[in-house]
Amino acid sequence: MKPNSKLLQRLRSWMRGRYGQNDTLNRFLNNLALLLIVISFFIRTGWLLLIAVILIGISYWRLFSKKIYQQVAINRGFQRFWSPIVRPFSRLKYQVKQHWQYRFFRCSQCHQRIRIPRHHGRVRITCPQCGHQFEAKV
């Protein structure tokens, strides 16, 4: 399809003034619907499939809604609930990802997390927050 085709121009004009964001809540609804669809293949119950279709419908309703401020407020409320649940897992993912290059320590006084590059032997670590010094093997 050409970038300036009539179909794309009509689609752009139809979407103008609509929410159209794949935000946190929409991604959660779509992933939950996909999970329910996969589970419904194994359990063979129709009500799980019905719930998945309803969740996809809600996601598309939010996507095409013209009440942008309302959808942003709903997403912020969901993020207020969802972020504390996901935050420990994202922190763990960060540490696992950097595990090979860095070693993580905690200051014994202020509990600040300190990241030190690996393979330097024994080093003297100074906490950047409180100035406490301690030795560790990196």
Side-chain angles (χ1 to χ4, degrees):
M1 212 179 316
K2 293 182 181 178
N4 294 326
S5 69
K6 286 186 179 183
L7 178 64
L8 283 178
Q9 289 176 354
R10 286 182 185 163
L11 184 62
R12 279 191 205 118
S13 67
W14 184 72
M15 284 298 290
R16 192 170 292 128
R18 297 182 188 272
Y19 185 54
Q21 297 290 324
N22 190 17
D23 58 7
T24 308
L25 180 56
N26 275 354
R27 283 194 303 269
F28 175 77
L29 291 173
N30 288 333
N31 290 338
L32 183 61
L34 181 65
L35 180 69
L36 290 177
I37 289 171
V38 169
I39 290 172
S40 72
F41 284 140
F42 295 112
I43 296 180
R44 301 278 188 206
T45 57
W47 59 273
L48 279 178
L49 198 58
L50 178 66
I51 292 173
V53 169
I54 290 171
L55 290 175
I56 291 172
I58 291 171
S59 174
Y60 275 100
W61 171 77
R62 291 189 72 245
L63 191 71
F64 296 130
S65 174
K66 287 191 173 188
K67 299 177 182 177
I68 296 172
Y69 293 110
Q70 182 181 5
Q71 299 306 326
V72 169
I74 291 171
N75 186 48
R76 282 191 188 141
F78 175 74
Q79 284 179 338
R80 231 178 276 125
F81 163 75
W82 187 245
S83 292
I85 296 171
V86 176
R87 190 175 299 125
F89 297 108
S90 63
R91 187 173 291 154
L92 181 67
K93 177 184 170 187
Y94 173 75
Q95 283 186 350
V96 167
K97 185 177 175 183
Q98 295 200 349
H99 170 72
W100 296 105
Q101 289 95 11
Y102 299 98
R103 181 122 185 249
F104 293 87
F105 297 97
R106 283 214 181 263
C107 177
S108 60
Q109 289 184 348
C110 66
H111 304 291
Q112 171 74 28
R113 202 171 30 186
I114 304 166
R115 184 181 75 164
I116 305 294
R118 284 186 177 269
H119 311 296
H120 288 287
R122 285 191 102 33
V123 294
R124 186 162 194 81
I125 300 170
T126 303
C127 177
Q129 189 170 2
C130 69
H132 175 69
Q133 292 185 353
F134 58 95
E135 285 197 23
K137 185 178 178 187
V138 181

